[in-house]
Amino acid sequence: MKIIIDTPEKIAEAAAKRYVELLSEKPDAVLGYATGSTPLDLYAELARLNRAGEITFKDVTTFNLDEYVGLDGTHDQSYRYFMDKNLFEKIDVDMAKTHVPSGMDVDKAAEYDKAIEAAGGIDLQLLGIGNNGHIGFNEPGTPFGSVTHVVELTKSTREANKRFFSSIDEVPTHAVTMGIKTVMNARKIIFIALGSAKAPIVREMIKSDVTPEVPASVLLLHPDVEVYLDFEAAALL
Ligand code: GLP
């Protein structure tokens, strides 16, 4: 695990460079994307580089980590909508090759791993972290062998995400998420955590034992992870 500590702006630039490098070597790479506030600067930087002609996404295939159960892609809090607005509509990606798990057709969850495999596996997976250590929506206790599945969201996750909804009652109770094994199968992982609220869980992830109780701690077992932290998120290391 390589740890890089810098400002949010420099982190977005450095992480974007990894995409430039990967796509110049492998223009048809398979990219795993994440949602949340954390990747927004990176997505803006990728869109800027795309406009400037320094990177093209025209041959990539993408797979997002997760989606809320019960929200279809037109709902403004769905992760499909988030990706379309914050990245896909701003870059030259082929929309037909972008995948977000379906929040409506959850019986198809197991097919998501098969689709990833059929595309050749994920070359670069982007990850953020929830305040309780979740990656994707793999809440504490999720087995490390899990593949894409439906989860019940914890109260703390629904509380953390209620800021995007009119009230906590509007926050879906379930989500569909790539499993821990799905994430760990990615050939390379870029992990980003920003802000002081993430400092305690970042410390736990890096300093505690590898345990399903801190899902992100599994990343210590991955051979190629770059962990980008801003100074606030790194403050307790
Ligand atoms: C959600 C997503 C995670 C994300 C987390 C953190 O719960 N399922 O993939 O990492 O939020 O979000 P933020 O970046 O807004 O802190």
Side-chain angles (χ1 to χ4, degrees):
M1 178 177 280
K2 191 174 159 201
I3 301 178
I4 302 106
I5 303 172
D6 214 324
T7 61
E9 296 74 28
K10 293 271 189 245
I11 287 172
E13 281 170 28
K17 251 190 212 149
R18 293 286 181 258
Y19 287 80
V20 173
E21 286 160 11
L22 172 65
L23 295 187
S24 62
E25 271 168 36
K26 189 175 181 186
D28 60 349
V30 178
L31 304 177
Y33 280 126
T35 52
S37 356
T38 306
L40 285 175
D41 287 348
L42 170 61
Y43 291 166
E45 178 63 3
L46 290 177
R48 190 190 68 77
L49 291 170
N50 189 220
R51 278 195 306 277
E54 291 180 44
I55 191 170
T56 174
F57 296 90
K58 70 182 174 48
D59 294 324
V60 305
T61 302
T62 77
F63 288 91
N64 258 77
L65 280 169
D66 48 13
E67 180 60 281
Y68 286 116
V69 169
L71 303 193
D72 76 19
T74 60
H75 190 290
D76 65 2
Q77 289 311 325
S78 72
Y79 285 169
R80 160 52 77 181
Y81 188 90
F82 175 100
M83 289 307 299
D84 287 353
K85 295 295 159 201
N86 290 298
L87 186 64
F88 298 151
E89 288 174 6
K90 298 183 173 176
I91 59 175
D92 60 351
V93 70
D94 175 358
M95 279 288 187
K97 289 201 212 152
T98 67
H99 303 88
V100 179
S102 169
M104 303 306 284
D105 208 355
V106 292
D107 292 345
K108 296 225 168 101
E111 287 174 26
Y112 203 65
D113 285 71
K114 287 193 194 121
I116 293 171
E117 217 174 290
I122 293 173
D123 291 296
L124 175 56
Q125 176 66 53
L126 181 63
L127 287 182
I129 186 169
N131 294 337
N132 63 2
H134 72 217
I135 48 176
F137 267 132
N138 290 287
E139 299 283 34
T142 306
F144 285 167
S146 54
V147 295
T148 305
H149 62 294
V150 174
V151 290
E152 181 170 7
L153 299 176
T154 61
K155 194 160 176 272
S156 81
T157 294
R158 293 183 69 231
E159 282 286 341
N161 291 359
K162 79 172 181 206
R163 65 191 194 277
F164 301 112
F165 294 83
S166 46
S167 77
I168 182 117
D169 298 333
E170 301 289 313
V171 185
T173 54
H174 291 75
V176 51
T177 181
M178 280 186 197
I180 303 271
K181 187 173 163 199
T182 321
V183 170
M184 290 293 279
N185 279 342
R187 286 183 268 280
K188 181 178 182 72
I189 293 176
I190 287 183
F191 170 100
I192 306 178
L194 307 175
S196 55
K198 299 286 171 70
I201 196 64
V202 163
R203 184 193 154 82
E204 258 194 85
M205 157 186 155
I206 292 172
K207 305 257 165 149
S208 80
D209 294 338
V210 174
T211 164
E213 291 316 310
V214 184
S217 68
V218 75
L219 299 177
L220 290 162
L221 304 178
H222 192 284
D224 188 358
V225 187
E226 290 184 11
V227 171
Y228 291 88
L229 306 173
D230 69 358
F231 294 103
E232 291 183 352
L236 299 178
L237 293 182

